[in-house]
Amino acid sequence: MVYQSYNFGSKFKELRRSKGISKGISIEKVAKDITSKSHLSNWKNGKAILDITVFVKLLSRINIQPAEFFKIMRFMNYTHILMTLLKCMLI
């Protein structure tokens, strides 16, 4: 589960709208075959939680690696957080 307190959703929204070749990709295209548009929207607005595997797939869809995302979020120890999240994916 990705925790709401870090505002991952709002940062994801910002990056989706501005990042590289995925610039301006619609929420429909980002969510397609990964999660519902409404669930993604609720997560971005802090009204829902998101499974870590879904989160990583969504990052991939907008061409961002998890390590890059955590660096952007300015986590001092983002490597530790990334390793914890990856372990969760392997379970």
Side-chain angles (χ1 to χ4, degrees):
M1 166 175 11
V2 177
Y3 298 102
Q4 294 169 310
S5 61
Y6 292 118
N7 295 318
F8 287 177
S10 61
K11 181 54 75 175
F12 180 87
K13 178 180 179 179
E14 177 185 325
L15 292 170
R16 177 184 63 83
R17 290 181 170 178
S18 66
K19 183 81 169 128
I21 62 172
S22 63
K23 186 174 183 175
I25 187 172
S26 71
I27 190 172
E28 292 86 0
K29 287 183 181 179
V30 171
K32 186 177 180 178
D33 300 324
I34 298 174
T35 190
S36 71
K37 175 186 165 189
S38 62
H39 188 228
L40 178 55
S41 181
N42 284 334
W43 173 68
K44 290 187 315 173
N45 294 314
K47 298 177 183 174
I49 58 174
L50 195 64
D51 183 83
I52 185 60
T53 56
V54 172
F55 176 63
V56 171
K57 288 177 184 179
L58 291 170
L59 286 176
S60 178
R61 181 72 49 92
I62 64 168
N63 301 307
I64 295 179
Q65 295 296 314
E68 179 184 5
F69 181 84
F70 291 117
K71 187 175 181 181
I72 291 167
M73 291 294 294
R74 293 189 171 101
F75 280 116
M76 297 305 286
N77 193 6
Y78 72 90
T79 303
H80 172 71
I81 294 169
L82 176 61
M83 293 308 295
T84 302
L85 295 176
L86 291 174
K87 285 178 188 176
C88 291
M89 290 175 56
L90 298 175
I91 295 175

